[in-house]
Amino acid sequence: MREPRVCRSRQGVSTGHARASPCVLACGVVSTPADELPIEPRGPLDAQLEVPGSKSLTNRALVAAALARGRSQLHGALESDDTQVMRRALRALGIAVDDPAGKPWTVEGQSGQLQEPADTLWMGGSGTSARFLTAAATLCNGPVSLDGDARMRERPIGDLTEALQKLGAGRRFNNITVAHG
């Protein structure tokens, strides 16, 4: 075995070491590659994978579908408290969401046209919902109020509201209320 050497870049990441040479990373961890294992190409793969759902990805897909024009189907969406919060809030904003158990969800996008909700949108403890909907609420045709549980009220959202105002949402942002503790 060769003598370990230190490999550092400006970011402290291992770079440029020869193949099969051990390396001591900037953090002091010794990395010794195993014997080479040749990987032979075998041609195209014919496979289908099903990845477990993610609440964050599901909420992103729900917002994207709601802002799109027309019908979207979400396959493999995750049923969770956070995604339930998002679906409930989107419905309150005038977006039709059909979410049958075990089947693809259907979202009727309204081309970025969101309706004024009758009540405060309850975020519970869903940080992704609170952040995504704070931004989406700038597209609403009337005032929007979001609130959440005690822990949610402690979570910072000032950077987002400041960024939205800098992007020109100021005029519309005056109609959005985000509850703080």
Side-chain angles (χ1 to χ4, degrees):
M1 182 164 83
R2 294 183 195 159
E3 194 63 33
R5 63 188 177 114
V6 176
C7 302
R8 288 191 175 106
S9 71
R10 288 183 197 159
Q11 294 81 23
V13 177
S14 168
T15 60
H17 57 280
R19 194 189 226 190
S21 68
C23 183
V24 178
L25 302 176
C27 62
V29 176
V30 176
S31 170
T32 306
D35 293 334
E36 287 187 24
L37 176 64
I39 299 175
E40 300 294 326
R42 67 178 274 297
L45 295 177
D46 182 16
Q48 193 170 18
L49 302 174
E50 190 168 323
V51 178
S54 156
K55 66 183 179 183
S56 181
L57 293 177
T58 297
N59 275 348
R60 282 175 170 80
L62 284 165
V63 170
L67 298 178
R69 180 175 2 136
R71 179 174 293 160
S72 297
Q73 281 197 330
L74 307 183
H75 296 262
L78 180 69
E79 173 64 49
S80 72
D81 290 344
D82 283 17
T83 61
Q84 184 177 41
V85 164
M86 179 63 80
R87 288 174 283 150
R88 188 179 313 123
L90 289 174
R91 288 180 183 119
L93 293 166
I95 303 297
V97 180
D98 184 29
D99 51 0
K103 295 183 180 179
W105 296 353
T106 303
V107 180
E108 296 292 338
Q110 298 299 313
S111 302
Q113 302 295 311
L114 301 177
Q115 301 302 309
E116 177 183 342
D119 295 309
T120 296
L121 300 178
W122 180 251
M123 301 293 100
S126 177
T128 56
S129 297
R131 284 171 180 76
F132 297 166
L133 290 169
T134 296
T138 63
L139 301 172
C140 213
N141 65 357
V144 178
S145 180
L146 292 93
D147 198 1
D149 60 23
R151 176 67 185 113
M152 180 57 65
R153 289 179 172 198
E154 293 173 358
R155 295 172 76 174
I157 199 165
D159 288 347
L160 172 60
T161 58
E162 187 177 311
L164 290 170
Q165 288 173 332
K166 286 180 180 177
L167 289 170
R171 187 179 83 247
R172 306 195 86 175
F173 198 72
N174 292 332
N175 290 332
I176 301 169
T177 305
V178 180
H180 296 281

